[in-house]
Amino acid sequence: MGRNRKKNSNHFAQRRRDNKKFEPYDKKAEPYKEIVRENEDFETYYKHQKVCPEEEYENFLAALRADLPATFRLTAFKGESKRLLEIVKEKLFVDYLSGLKDLNEGKEEEMKPKNLPWYPNELAWELQISRKDIRRSEKLFKLHNFLIAETKSGNISRQEVVSMIPPLLLNVKSHHKCIDLCASPGSKTSQIIEALHSDASGKIPKGYVIANDIDNKRCYMLVHQAKRLNSPCCLITNTDAGRFPNLYNNENKIIKFDRILADVPCSGDGTMRKNPDIWFKWKGGNGLGLHGIQYRIARRGAEMLEIGGRMVYSTCSINPIENEAVICRLIREAAGSLEVVEAGSLLKGLKYNPGMTYWEPASKDLKFYKSFDDVPTELKTIIHKEIFPPPQSEIEKYNLQHCIRVLPHQNNTGAFFIAVLEKRSKLPWEKKVDENAIESKARIAAENNGNGETTSQIEPPPKKKKKLINYGFREDPFVFFTPDEELYTTFKTFYKLSDDFDPTCLLTRCLVGKKKNIYFCSPEIREILRKNEDNVKLINSGVKTFSRCDNKNMECQFRLAHEGLYNIDQFIGSERRVHVERDDLIRMLNNLNPIEPPMVHLMSESVQKQHEKIGSGSCIIHYKEDDLELRLVGWRGNKTFRAYIDVNDSIHMLRLLGADLSKYDVNKFEEKAKREQALKTDENGAEEEIPMDEEKDEELKNEN
């Protein structure tokens, strides 16, 4: 009966599909048109709001119209970061400046890479050239290759300068319970993970970070970012930050967080340098529609914050309606429970303005209002009373001068707003809930005692279970090992795992059937996963540590996974370790092909002797010199020894060893020329010479 029912269809989508059928195959796409970086309403609005001194306003606009310089930072907690920094300063930047000579004659001094003085340990750098220019310049192909390979291996992160500020101001320590409420795409979450591990002295931190986002698809982008760092202390969730549910610990108590990052959704007009399409999308009423969402997230963050804890509120917007107005509303309703604290002293060398103390909300047609009484009745549902600044006689108690406003012309960056808040006591509505609960218990106790019943007999009525909102795909379950897990016995025997290792921290994502991958998480994350699977949608957690590798010659059907090696290395016995010399390691790293692995008879005598003693299968390769220690997963074959790692990890280690990288440093411009030359030869039956200048011009047109 239901087979003949007509399905609902999207008529607009069908029309597009029909039109495509009649498009000629040789139709060329229209060339990319450069966006005009002007918007009269934008310029009028911010000039009226006086976001910077009048004499700086033209410089402010000029900076917004320029391309954003490329920036990157080195991963702080990895032991090789010091060696990698030396290579960056002594080799990479030398090649970079050499490549720029022909492009910028006479400007060598201006083009030198700049270290960000306020970022710790010289780990953050700004290049005086945009990402687009790096990608398009043949002379900078080695720099481009470096950025791609090291980013994929998790040793650097390409991140905008101002985006690095909020996690720094959180001042995260290894024992802190942290949550990033609006985490995607994950660069700030990565910084929090780094801070947790940097302070842990090589051990697994007691603290953790929960990275949340409301967009299901963006959560998987977040998974990709977090996986680069291979931390067992990270959990990714998918829910509305403004309605984030209470999470419970092992004692059934509500978890309160020590550090909260609320980098809330915003109009994004501070990112115009990297997102120029905002120039023609920007409208005066953008901030009005977002203020309520931003306040709701900030308020929920304040509720989840531990007394004495710290929350950082931030946006990439210039608009005071999205910034100071939200902070004022929150401080006003908190009635002394929250305080905006000074944090600029942690950013020595960064230029910024203090928070604004006066602003005027405006309608979509840019009519400004000094007070809520001036707002027409028909606009009072859009322009709310809460978004107006407090009276000047009360402004001091809000500490808006401690807020940080970074403008583009001050540090050659995007624009950003940051406010650091600390919780002094329970919020007024939290106190009211506690009082009501005490009164309710006392009333029930009195009633029952009057009937001869004791208070110990009283049980609170069961709470109605809330239905979990599903924002996207249904996720696989988190299935933890039991203490006497049969599969774990094979791991422990083969890898000689220490008794100190807790097998209940291992998990899989399949309830039945063969277990393909085994993941490892910290004990604290394990308890959150166990107690809250019905409270919030859990997306991802744990680091792949063992992976099934069905091989007839293996005693254990699971090999070590390089991603989880640093978390489990301390528990693995010496029987599965091989110590190699520099030349041996370089040979392994240059030969990752499993079909033609490095032959052991070509390696040093020391490695050959160890090969005889160790059984076939997965093992740990260990290399150590004065200031460098490398560990990676290897595979011992009958007559071979090879590294079992990703190509980008191999490139990273070869770079640290000072080995030849020409095999991996591919010039994409030359490769493209060869492909086109081969295509021309096939088409014409004879080789034709292609002028290189014409080819480069054509590629630039295609990229545009």
Side-chain angles (χ1 to χ4, degrees):
M1 185 176 173
R3 290 179 184 174
N4 297 324
R5 188 180 299 164
K6 189 176 180 180
K7 293 182 180 178
N8 293 329
S9 60
N10 187 323
H11 300 292
F12 296 102
Q14 185 60 46
R15 190 181 299 170
R16 283 198 302 272
R17 287 193 290 269
D18 292 341
N19 290 338
K20 274 189 175 181
K21 293 177 184 177
F22 300 103
E23 288 181 2
Y25 288 108
D26 59 346
K27 181 181 176 182
K28 292 185 178 179
E30 292 184 10
Y32 174 80
K33 293 180 181 177
E34 190 69 33
I35 293 172
V36 178
R37 303 190 185 201
E38 290 180 2
N39 185 311
E40 189 177 342
D41 286 351
F42 173 87
E43 296 172 26
T44 302
Y45 182 83
Y46 283 120
K47 190 166 189 178
H48 185 90
Q49 297 291 10
K50 297 180 180 177
V51 293
C52 66
E54 193 172 344
E55 62 272 14
E56 295 180 19
Y57 195 68
E58 288 306 316
N59 292 336
F60 162 74
L61 290 176
L64 269 177
R65 294 185 179 114
D67 286 333
L68 193 67
T71 51
F72 67 90
R73 58 179 178 78
L74 279 67
T75 302
F77 74 91
K78 295 208 171 183
E80 310 101 51
S81 60
K82 188 178 286 188
R83 171 69 71 94
L84 187 59
L85 177 60
E86 291 173 5
I87 293 168
V88 165
K89 289 162 69 174
E90 295 171 8
K91 188 170 191 323
L92 185 76
F93 287 162
V94 172
D95 293 343
Y96 160 75
L97 289 170
S98 176
L100 284 179
K101 276 185 181 178
D102 297 335
L103 301 174
N104 298 275
E105 290 184 11
K107 296 183 179 179
E108 287 83 358
E109 197 61 36
E110 293 177 25
M111 301 306 292
K112 279 187 176 180
K114 292 181 181 176
N115 172 244
L116 304 182
W118 46 269
Y119 200 92
N121 304 320
E122 291 188 293
L123 293 177
W125 293 83
E126 179 183 271
L127 306 174
Q128 307 308 306
I129 187 170
S130 71
R131 292 177 67 169
K132 180 175 66 176
D133 292 332
I134 292 173
R135 191 170 60 247
R136 292 178 179 181
S137 173
E138 184 175 0
K139 293 183 180 295
L140 299 177
F141 82 91
K142 287 187 178 180
L143 171 64
H144 190 222
N145 290 347
F146 168 85
L147 293 173
I148 291 172
E150 295 296 342
T151 299
K152 286 182 177 178
S153 64
N155 292 287
I156 68 165
S157 294
R158 288 183 284 176
Q159 183 179 358
E160 190 182 346
V161 170
V162 286
S163 175
M164 302 177 193
I165 299 172
L168 280 183
L169 297 183
L170 277 175
N171 194 23
V172 173
K173 304 298 180 186
S174 63
H175 62 279
H176 282 152
K177 301 185 291 289
C178 311
I179 185 168
D180 187 350
L181 289 171
C182 310
S184 183
S187 54
K188 297 181 187 68
T189 300
S190 298
Q191 272 184 273
I192 296 173
I193 292 172
E194 290 176 35
L196 284 169
H197 285 271
S198 296
D199 193 47
S201 305
K203 297 178 181 178
I204 296 170
K206 295 290 184 185
Y208 53 81
V209 57
I210 295 175
N212 176 72
D213 203 88
I214 191 173
D215 189 320
N216 185 254
K217 290 181 181 177
R218 286 170 66 87
C219 280
Y220 298 106
M221 193 189 307
L222 192 53
V223 171
H224 174 73
Q225 274 278 18
K227 273 189 173 180
R228 296 184 310 115
L229 299 181
N230 302 321
S231 171
C233 308
C234 179
L235 168 62
I236 294 165
T237 61
N238 176 207
T239 193
D240 180 0
R243 295 185 177 89
F244 198 96
N246 286 330
L247 299 181
Y248 295 88
N249 61 19
N250 210 26
E251 299 171 353
N252 284 328
K253 292 181 179 178
I254 295 173
I255 295 173
K256 295 289 185 178
F257 293 91
D258 303 300
R259 297 290 185 266
I260 295 179
L261 177 59
D263 186 50
V264 299
C266 64
S267 58
D269 53 17
T271 68
M272 284 176 158
R273 297 183 70 176
K274 68 174 181 179
N275 299 314
D277 56 321
I278 295 176
W279 279 101
F280 63 81
K281 290 180 181 177
W282 192 93
K283 291 181 176 59
N286 289 354
L288 298 174
L290 289 163
H291 173 91
I293 298 169
Q294 294 160 339
Y295 167 73
R296 189 161 51 82
I297 294 171
R299 177 187 164 109
R300 182 59 188 136
E303 292 170 352
M304 297 164 69
L305 191 62
E306 183 68 84
I307 294 172
R310 172 174 286 202
M311 178 172 79
V312 171
Y313 174 91
S314 63
T315 74
C316 50
S317 170
I318 310 167
N319 198 338
I321 305 301
E322 303 176 61
N323 299 327
E324 287 88 351
V326 175
I327 297 300
C328 277
R329 184 176 174 184
L330 186 61
I331 295 295
R332 186 188 305 119
E333 296 191 9
S337 302
L338 289 173
E339 182 183 349
V340 180
V341 298
E342 193 278 329
S345 58
L346 298 172
L347 302 169
K348 291 179 180 177
L350 180 75
K351 298 175 185 175
Y352 62 89
N353 288 348
M356 296 171 62
T357 55
Y358 181 77
W359 57 90
E360 294 180 5
S363 60
K364 291 181 180 179
D365 57 357
L366 295 192
K367 186 172 181 181
F368 294 88
Y369 301 98
K370 294 182 182 297
S371 70
F372 184 64
D373 295 335
D374 299 336
V375 180
T377 305
E378 65 272 15
L379 291 180
K380 286 190 175 181
T381 56
I382 300 171
I383 303 176
H384 299 280
K385 186 177 181 179
E386 291 83 3
I387 67 175
F388 284 84
Q392 291 301 302
S393 58
E394 300 177 10
I395 201 72
E396 284 187 13
K397 70 179 183 182
Y398 292 92
N399 284 347
L400 293 180
Q401 74 276 11
H402 293 329
C403 297
I404 294 171
R405 279 185 156 267
V406 182
L407 297 177
H409 64 291
Q410 294 173 318
N411 306 277
N412 194 17
T413 64
F416 223 76
F417 173 86
I418 310 107
V420 181
L421 300 101
E422 290 186 356
K423 192 172 183 178
R424 304 304 185 200
S425 61
K426 286 189 175 182
L427 299 164
W429 53 94
E430 289 181 311
K431 292 176 184 175
K432 193 171 182 181
V433 169
D434 290 347
E435 289 169 4
N436 290 341
I438 292 169
E439 287 176 10
S440 178
K441 283 182 181 179
R443 179 173 49 78
I444 294 170
E447 289 173 0
N448 286 281
N449 283 334
N451 297 328
E453 296 178 18
T454 62
T455 54
S456 60
Q457 295 171 319
I458 303 166
E459 290 187 7
K463 290 183 179 179
K464 189 177 179 181
K465 194 174 180 180
K466 290 183 180 179
K467 186 179 179 182
L468 187 61
I469 300 173
N470 193 340
Y471 286 95
F473 302 108
R474 185 176 179 180
E475 296 296 325
D476 293 326
F478 292 82
V479 184
F480 283 91
F481 277 29
T482 58
D484 56 350
E485 187 79 32
E486 185 179 346
L487 191 57
Y488 175 67
T489 308
T490 63
F491 297 159
K492 185 170 183 180
T493 304
F494 186 76
Y495 294 107
K496 308 299 180 188
L497 289 172
S498 163
D499 291 336
D500 295 333
F501 182 74
D502 184 358
T504 62
C505 288
L506 295 175
L507 66 106
T508 65
R509 297 300 300 270
C510 60
L511 200 55
V512 293
K514 267 190 174 183
K515 296 172 173 61
K516 186 179 178 183
N517 293 316
I518 310 296
Y519 302 88
F520 173 78
C521 69
S522 69
E524 291 75 19
I525 289 289
R526 176 193 61 200
E527 297 312 318
I528 294 175
L529 287 167
R530 281 176 169 172
K531 298 293 294 184
N532 298 279
E533 59 182 350
D534 295 328
N535 292 349
V536 65
K537 184 173 182 185
L538 306 169
I539 297 291
N540 187 275
S541 188
V543 182
K544 185 165 74 170
T545 305
F546 299 100
S547 186
R548 183 174 287 279
C549 184
D550 292 325
N551 189 317
K552 293 178 182 178
N553 299 324
M554 280 187 65
E555 295 176 36
C556 177
Q557 296 304 312
F558 283 82
R559 64 172 178 83
L560 293 168
H562 184 69
E563 299 96 306
L565 177 61
Y566 288 87
N567 300 309
I568 201 173
D569 176 64
Q570 58 185 306
F571 302 108
I572 295 177
S574 58
E575 292 85 349
R576 299 304 303 173
R577 296 177 184 274
V578 176
H579 297 269
V580 299
E581 297 176 8
R582 181 177 180 275
D583 291 343
D584 297 323
L585 183 56
I586 291 173
R587 183 184 295 276
M588 291 180 182
L589 295 173
N590 272 315
N591 294 274
L592 299 181
N593 186 353
I595 299 173
E596 298 178 358
M599 302 302 292
V600 72
H601 72 269
L602 298 175
M603 298 186 188
S604 66
E605 187 178 342
S606 168
V607 170
Q608 291 181 41
K609 287 181 180 178
Q610 292 176 79
H611 182 270
E612 292 174 4
K613 293 179 182 179
I614 193 171
S616 295
S618 191
C619 60
I620 297 175
I621 297 170
H622 193 192
Y623 170 77
K624 189 173 183 180
E625 60 180 63
D626 296 338
D627 60 343
L628 179 65
E629 185 174 3
L630 297 175
R631 289 164 292 170
L632 60 149
V633 171
W635 185 270
R636 189 271 193 199
N638 290 333
K639 297 181 180 180
T640 60
F641 236 139
R642 76 180 183 95
Y644 213 123
I645 59 172
D646 179 78
V647 65
N648 294 299
D649 290 315
S650 176
I651 293 170
H652 169 69
M653 292 182 185
L654 286 169
R655 182 175 278 115
L656 296 178
L657 292 166
D660 180 21
L661 284 173
S662 56
K663 177 181 176 180
Y664 299 105
D665 250 340
V666 178
N667 185 332
K668 66 175 184 178
F669 298 91
E670 290 181 0
E671 290 296 308
K672 184 177 179 183
K674 289 176 184 177
R675 288 196 302 271
E676 291 186 353
Q677 187 71 51
L679 188 62
K680 281 256 183 194
T681 303
D682 291 342
E683 287 177 354
N684 301 331
E687 191 172 334
E688 288 185 13
E689 191 172 339
I690 306 170
M692 284 298 292
D693 292 339
E694 289 180 19
E695 186 204 74
K696 289 176 191 173
D697 292 342
E698 187 63 32
E699 182 179 358
L700 290 177
K701 286 178 187 175
N702 292 335
E703 287 194 1
N704 281 335

